[in-house]
Amino acid sequence: NAGVMQNPRHLVRRRGQEARLRCSPMKGHSHVYWYRQLPEEGLKFMVYLQKENIIDESGMPKERFSAEFPKEGPSILRIQQVVRGDSAAYFCASSPNQEGNQPQHFGDGTRLSIL
Amino acid sequence: AQSVTQLGSHVSVSEGALVLLRCNYSSSVPPYLFWYVQYPNQGLQLLLKYTSAATLVKGINGFEAEFKKSETSFHLTKPSAHMRDAAEYFCAVSDAGGTSYGKLTFGQGTILTVHP
């Protein structure tokens, strides 16, 4: 399967723990976007990365959240000291460019539940 | 700044009936527009896109949408609904020119229910 791969599909954490969400883009795509889908809400942009660079993190909460896309390996979205309000579905999408005219391809998401 | 409004969070139709899902957008620059479908516990699948070519866009699964600049709309239609069309549908916009790096702004979503 050459699509966007996200893991884990489901992640359960207790309040105060760390959550690490991984995303491998489609082959040939070097542009990665993370979105969050809260219950009863649409998807909200969080962060846009290229290899080794964060380009736009305007949608990311200022504290506890971080993202990276290393030269080798998947993109990682990290949430430290999770709270109940972090419970959501987190989607990764990849694109071959940042021009906006190419559709983004989405993974199946990671559903994060905080106990 | 961009925004998308989907009128109607829930739409219910009978199998074989016309499907119409409404989307209005706001953008300060020429937009690119997309419709995605999401089935339960899955990611988003692209139905169709408008990127400044033909204003009537045909997509997968018999869906189509028409870009109307004067009405700032991009409504999604399908002449005859199937049971398998039951899902949540999202309209999204990104701006042409890349000033927002291609990031998508989504509407709230419309859940389509199809009755036998």
Side-chain angles (χ1 to χ4, degrees):
Chain A
N1 185 348
V4 177
M5 302 301 293
Q6 288 188 251
N7 65 82
R9 289 291 307 277
H10 301 274
L11 182 61
V12 179
R13 284 288 178 267
R14 295 187 181 280
R15 283 178 294 171
Q17 291 184 322
E18 179 180 283
R20 287 180 145 227
L21 288 61
R22 286 176 289 277
C23 168
S24 295
M26 281 186 70
K27 188 176 182 180
H29 289 190
S30 59
H31 301 258
V32 167
Y33 304 80
W34 286 92
Y35 296 86
R36 178 166 63 174
Q37 185 176 32
L38 291 164
E40 307 302 320
E41 294 188 21
L43 288 87
K44 305 289 187 187
F45 167 78
M46 298 183 74
V47 61
Y48 162 56
L49 309 102
Q50 295 178 22
K51 282 286 187 181
E52 299 185 276
N53 287 298
I54 298 174
I55 307 300
D56 181 354
E57 56 183 348
S58 59
M60 196 111 90
K62 294 290 186 283
E63 297 179 353
R64 301 188 297 108
F65 285 72
S66 63
E68 63 179 15
F69 189 14
K71 185 176 181 180
E72 301 291 338
S75 175
I76 305 287
L77 180 67
R78 183 183 292 110
I79 311 172
Q80 296 177 304
Q81 300 176 339
V82 296
V83 301
R84 288 253 170 87
D86 297 332
S87 294
Y90 293 82
F91 291 94
C92 169
S94 72
S95 175
N97 63 40
Q98 64 179 40
E99 300 304 313
N101 60 344
Q102 293 296 323
Q104 294 178 16
H105 296 262
F106 283 79
D108 283 339
T110 293
R111 274 124 186 110
L112 177 63
S113 298
I114 309 301
L115 302 179
Chain B
Q2 299 169 309
S3 66
V4 175
T5 302
Q6 291 183 238
L7 296 175
S9 58
H10 290 80
V11 171
S12 181
V13 300
S14 299
E15 193 173 18
L18 171 71
V19 176
L20 171 60
L21 304 182
R22 300 178 187 273
C23 172
N24 288 88
Y25 70 92
S26 172
S27 178
S28 57
V29 297
Y32 294 136
L33 293 158
F34 306 85
W35 275 99
Y36 285 88
V37 60
Q38 184 180 30
Y39 297 100
N41 295 315
Q42 293 186 23
L44 279 72
Q45 180 182 3
L46 179 73
L47 280 176
L48 47 81
K49 63 177 182 178
Y50 166 76
T51 55
S52 73
T55 57
L56 181 62
V57 180
K58 294 188 183 297
I60 63 171
N61 300 339
F63 285 94
E64 63 182 36
E66 186 172 9
F67 172 69
K68 293 186 176 180
K69 184 178 179 181
S70 61
E71 299 177 8
T72 61
S73 69
F74 190 58
H75 302 330
L76 182 70
T77 60
K78 181 173 180 176
S80 177
H82 290 273
M83 297 294 290
R84 61 176 176 266
D85 295 327
E88 188 162 15
Y89 292 79
F90 291 95
C91 181
V93 63
S94 70
D95 70 72
T99 58
S100 64
Y101 306 111
K103 66 186 178 188
L104 294 170
T105 300
F106 285 90
Q108 294 291 88
T110 298
I111 295 173
L112 176 66
T113 302
V114 182
H115 296 287

